[in-house]
Every structure is written in C-alpha cells, then in structure tokens.
Amino acid sequence: FELYSMDFNYVTVGVSVRFDGHYFPKGATDRKEDFWQPDRPFSFAMENPLEPKMDVGAPSWRISLIQRSFEIAFKVLLSYVTVPAQPTVSILASILP
C-alpha cells in the first residue's frame, strides 16, 4: 500500500509485468508515444504483457482517489503494528473469539 499511495510517481513511471516485472520511464523515447498522455499526466501506465506497445492502464480514471484509498489503508494497517500511545485491544481480538 505504501508504494502505490505515497512513493510511486504516476507522472513519470509505468509498470510492466513482463520478465518478472519492472518499472519503466513513461517519457522514454521508445515508450512516450504509447504511454505518455500529456492531457492526463497522472494516468496509470501499465504495459500489456501480450502486446507491449498497448497501455492497459490508459482507461483508468480517478487514479488520485485510488491512490488516496491506498494511503488510508496503509495508515490504518500501520496504526495496528506501531506501539500505541495508550494500551488498546489487539486487532485480532475483533476477529477471533
């Protein structure tokens, strides 16, 4: 959650799942035509593993809302694994009898 909420740069970086997965620059000369959207710089660029020139992330919208949701999820999970300022009930206590 932390990576895609606070650390990932949606403007300059795209995602590929080919060859065990890697990141690529959206503005690279060989990828700019297919992955860079000047009218939507924050769009999520994801390479199609079967057709590398196709951006399957292009139709994604409201990525900022998804990014914010990931940030909230990360902070909620983090709050359960950090030492609380005051003693609290375990997260497992709400799940297990």
Side-chain angles (χ1 to χ4, degrees):
F1 289 111
E2 181 180 14
L3 172 65
Y4 291 106
S5 67
M6 300 188 303
D7 297 336
F8 192 79
N9 188 340
Y10 290 90
V11 176
T12 62
V13 180
V15 177
S16 174
V17 294
R18 296 183 318 132
F19 311 116
D20 295 328
H22 63 278
Y23 300 113
F24 61 86
K26 289 179 9 178
T29 55
D30 61 331
R31 296 187 184 257
K32 190 171 188 175
E33 183 180 329
D34 302 311
F35 294 97
W36 176 249
Q37 298 179 32
D39 55 325
R40 296 179 56 216
F42 285 97
S43 66
F44 185 64
M46 178 170 262
E47 179 184 72
N48 182 340
L50 302 176
E51 192 175 327
K53 293 281 185 186
M54 182 180 202
D55 182 5
V56 294
S60 64
W61 55 285
R62 298 183 72 180
I63 194 69
S64 60
L65 178 64
I66 296 167
Q67 184 179 9
R68 180 77 176 127
S69 299
F70 274 27
E71 181 180 355
I72 291 167
F74 170 69
K75 288 180 178 178
V76 167
L77 290 172
L78 188 63
S79 72
Y80 283 106
V81 296
T82 56
V83 178
Q86 59 187 23
T88 59
V89 179
S90 165
I91 188 174
L92 290 177
S94 63
I95 300 169
L96 301 174

